[in-house]
Amino acid sequence: MLNSYSSADKVLLAVDCIIFGFDNDGLKILLIQRDFEPEKGKWSLIGGFLKRDEVLDAAATRILNTYTGLNDIYMEQLHAYSEIDRDPVERTISVSYFALINIENHNAELIKNYHAEWFPINDAPNLIFDHNEMVENAIKRLRYKTSVKPIGFELLPEKFTMRQLLELYEAILSKELDKRNFISKINSLEILNKLDEKDMQSSRKGSYLYTFNKEKYEEKLQNNFALNL
Amino acid sequence: MLNSYSSADKVLLAVDCIIFGFDNDGLKILLIQRDFEPEKGKWSLIGGFLKRDEVLDAAATRILNTYTGLNDIYMEQLHAYSEIDRDPVERTISVSYFALINIENHNAELIKNYHAEWFPINDAPNLIFDHNEMVENAIKRLRYKTSVKPIGFELLPEKFTMRQLLELYEAILSKELDKRNFISKINSLEILNKLDEKDMQSSRKGSYLYTFNKEKYEEKLQNNFALNL
DNA sequence: AATTATTAATGTAAGATTTACACTTAATTA
DNA sequence: TAATTAAGTGTAAATCTTACATTAATAATT
């Protein structure tokens, strides 16, 4: 029995993660300042190499965990980038992943030690290699996914207000949404629990907090809802 | 300056193509009977290995051309598959591509020589490795893409009737569509040219032939139309 | 030559969804 | 207690989607 396809060329496989977060200032991505050549000192996506006995999803998870300390994060494979000289050191094909994290949960110290930093998606530095393109494509995918599955919730804290949810969707879609219409569309999905508790930070009146109801969501998902915002 | 990431592991990168075609019998995929071990004699997607100085898109194009003789074909990268033992011979990561071809144009002899064959998507043999999964995902993507861009035209001959177009969409979406509603939705896109010529094969009355108008399509595409069938 | 058979072509009304829009409420602060 | 601030709420018009049936054109048959 054959044990190698001997004539074929082998290549390096990298994984680069587009990590989205959301806070009061809007939608952000986590970038890292490279501390090795080439392009040392420049900003880059967080990435690493695939190991011999590792599946791509596992590599993405490992890399995310290394730099943020987080586990159980929503991640999705996006695209394989293969331009010949995309990495000047050595032929490297990179598979991009996007991750959605609750910006409050990550390990701030870890990030700092790695010279990583959050940047607003509309005000991020220029990135090395083809990473700008990777980010652009990730934003497109995030927009699309948002209209098909309520993955936006991954970006919010456990308890959130309608306003936060609205602002998140506005940031993702980068357009203004009508408050009343938004609320009734979200409510019609029946995947939120309205709590008896109010958030008093944002206003005098206070606004009700909600949680995301995973069970109801899973139930609904069979029937494939679309969210037309 | 560094010239290798020496500690990282290298892997084989394959490309597998899900090639869709359409004729009077419906939507089909092109499969090949493997003539080498492992799994010799079993059915498989058409694939090959990425070469050292080749971009993934080029590899997909090369592979498609080798087996069908076709050039200038609509292809799109889908997903990277990386299960450790997906190929029992050697660790191989495979990137899947889907292609849409006009089934009448391909080189029938070439296909025959390679022991390739068209199968209806609902009546295809079991495939090697993870190729069944690849096909399933490709069908999902084809369905989605169809609702967003009129890529279905790639599958039709240059001149086609409304009935053919309807049947193509029915095959892709695997549901019945209302003829009158379908026609008015397609017409509202304003991307077809109605010819003065009729196809007399299908009926006594004859049905008008249409061509796809690329310029009008490109024009419209800016405004991102959705086709809700 | 007339009749029959076959598929193509065409429009409308009802129902569903989406959009646009403004006032009242609750609580804090001055 | 008056003023301020953001929260919370409903409806009517417009648009889009759906369901549905008859006539038209031609070839084949008698």
Side-chain angles (χ1 to χ4, degrees):
Chain A
M1 168 117 180
L2 206 64
N3 73 349
S4 82
Y5 297 112
S6 49
S7 70
D9 301 322
K10 291 189 177 183
V11 293
L12 279 177
L13 249 195
V15 169
D16 286 301
C17 302
I18 296 96
I19 304 174
F20 289 104
F22 179 74
D23 66 12
N24 292 333
D25 304 330
L27 198 58
K28 298 184 172 175
I29 51 173
L30 188 60
L31 300 175
I32 196 168
Q33 204 166 17
R34 264 169 89 96
D35 66 347
F36 57 93
E37 293 297 346
E39 307 277 16
K40 186 170 172 174
K42 299 233 180 113
W43 291 95
S44 139
L45 291 171
I46 282 166
F49 291 103
L50 180 77
K51 296 187 173 175
R52 194 182 307 283
D53 294 310
E54 190 179 46
V55 160
L56 281 164
D57 287 1
T61 305
R62 167 176 58 78
I63 290 162
L64 185 78
N65 177 263
T66 303
Y67 291 90
T68 66
L70 294 172
N71 282 306
D72 293 323
I73 291 302
Y74 183 92
M75 295 192 86
E76 206 176 304
Q77 192 193 112
L78 286 173
H79 195 79
Y81 294 83
S82 61
E83 284 302 314
I84 305 292
D85 294 316
R86 52 175 299 285
D87 184 323
V89 174
E90 195 172 356
R91 179 84 202 276
T92 307
I93 279 76
S94 173
V95 177
S96 65
Y97 273 77
F98 84 94
L100 303 180
I101 81 176
N102 174 343
I103 217 164
E104 285 168 12
N105 287 351
H106 75 282
N107 185 329
E109 196 164 346
L110 202 53
I111 284 190
K112 205 171 157 193
N113 292 341
Y114 278 112
H115 299 283
E117 214 170 288
W118 287 101
F119 288 91
I121 52 165
N122 297 317
D123 192 20
N126 200 37
L127 303 178
I128 62 161
F129 304 171
D130 46 9
H131 290 192
N132 291 307
E133 190 189 346
M134 290 181 178
V135 171
E136 271 171 48
N137 288 332
I139 292 172
K140 280 186 201 156
R141 181 75 140 259
L142 176 60
R143 257 174 218 160
Y144 162 61
K145 269 287 166 163
T146 286
S147 74
V148 168
K149 297 192 179 192
I151 56 172
F153 294 100
E154 308 282 342
L155 289 157
L156 291 171
E158 203 198 326
K159 297 174 180 180
F160 52 86
T161 65
M162 273 291 178
R163 167 163 294 266
Q164 286 177 291
L165 188 59
L166 172 69
E167 283 173 357
L168 170 61
Y169 275 91
E170 286 185 333
I172 291 175
L173 303 174
S174 84
K175 66 174 180 189
E176 276 199 11
L177 298 172
D178 180 279
K179 183 174 52 150
R180 276 181 289 186
N181 293 339
F182 177 80
I183 291 172
S184 57
K185 280 174 187 177
I186 293 289
N187 281 333
S188 74
L189 296 179
E190 297 183 316
I191 52 172
L192 292 191
N193 296 325
K194 186 176 192 168
L195 305 179
D196 271 338
E197 197 180 340
K198 282 188 166 188
D199 169 86
M200 301 307 290
Q201 308 299 111
S202 63
S203 76
R204 294 177 180 164
K205 185 176 176 180
S207 58
Y208 283 104
L209 288 164
Y210 292 80
T211 56
F212 175 53
N213 187 328
K214 278 229 173 194
E215 289 105 61
K216 283 194 187 168
Y217 167 63
E218 296 294 346
E219 224 178 278
K220 288 245 150 185
L221 201 56
Q222 315 305 331
N223 314 319
N224 258 13
F225 57 81
L227 190 49
N228 298 310
L229 306 171
Chain B
M1 168 114 179
L2 206 63
N3 72 349
S4 81
Y5 297 112
S6 50
S7 71
D9 300 323
K10 291 189 178 185
V11 293
L12 278 177
L13 249 195
V15 169
D16 286 302
C17 301
I18 297 95
I19 304 174
F20 290 105
F22 179 74
D23 65 13
N24 292 333
D25 303 330
L27 198 57
K28 298 185 171 173
I29 50 173
L30 188 59
L31 300 174
I32 195 168
Q33 204 165 18
R34 263 169 90 95
D35 65 348
F36 58 94
E37 293 296 347
E39 306 277 15
K40 186 170 173 175
K42 299 232 180 113
W43 291 95
S44 141
L45 290 171
I46 282 165
F49 290 103
L50 180 76
K51 297 187 173 175
R52 194 183 307 282
D53 294 310
E54 189 179 46
V55 160
L56 281 164
D57 287 1
T61 305
R62 167 176 59 78
I63 291 162
L64 184 78
N65 177 263
T66 303
Y67 291 90
T68 66
L70 293 172
N71 283 307
D72 294 322
I73 291 302
Y74 183 92
M75 294 193 86
E76 205 176 305
Q77 192 193 111
L78 286 172
H79 195 79
Y81 294 82
S82 61
E83 284 303 313
I84 305 293
D85 294 315
R86 51 176 299 285
D87 184 325
V89 174
E90 194 173 355
R91 180 83 203 276
T92 307
I93 280 76
S94 174
V95 178
S96 65
Y97 272 77
F98 83 94
L100 303 180
I101 81 176
N102 174 344
I103 217 164
E104 286 168 12
N105 288 350
H106 74 283
N107 185 328
E109 196 165 345
L110 202 54
I111 285 191
K112 206 170 157 195
N113 292 340
Y114 278 113
H115 299 282
E117 214 170 289
W118 287 101
F119 289 91
I121 53 165
N122 296 318
D123 192 19
N126 200 38
L127 303 178
I128 62 162
F129 304 172
D130 47 9
H131 289 192
N132 291 307
E133 192 191 345
M134 290 182 179
V135 172
E136 272 171 46
N137 288 332
I139 292 172
K140 280 186 201 156
R141 182 74 141 261
L142 176 61
R143 260 174 215 159
Y144 162 61
K145 269 286 166 163
T146 286
S147 75
V148 167
K149 298 192 178 191
I151 56 173
F153 294 99
E154 308 282 341
L155 290 157
L156 291 171
E158 204 199 326
K159 297 175 181 181
F160 51 87
T161 65
M162 273 291 177
R163 167 162 295 266
Q164 284 176 293
L165 188 59
L166 172 70
E167 283 174 357
L168 169 61
Y169 275 91
E170 286 185 332
I172 292 174
L173 303 173
S174 85
K175 68 174 179 188
E176 276 199 11
L177 299 173
D178 180 280
K179 184 173 49 150
R180 276 181 289 186
N181 293 338
F182 176 80
I183 291 172
S184 57
K185 280 174 187 176
I186 292 290
N187 281 333
S188 74
L189 296 179
E190 297 183 317
I191 52 172
L192 292 190
N193 295 325
K194 187 176 190 167
L195 306 180
D196 270 338
E197 194 182 338
K198 282 187 165 188
D199 169 87
M200 301 307 291
Q201 308 299 109
S202 63
S203 77
R204 291 172 184 171
K205 184 177 174 180
S207 57
Y208 282 104
L209 288 164
Y210 292 80
T211 55
F212 175 53
N213 187 328
K214 279 229 172 194
E215 288 105 62
K216 283 195 186 169
Y217 167 63
E218 296 295 345
E219 224 179 277
K220 287 245 151 186
L221 201 54
Q222 316 305 330
N223 315 318
N224 257 15
F225 57 79
L227 190 51
N228 298 311
L229 306 171

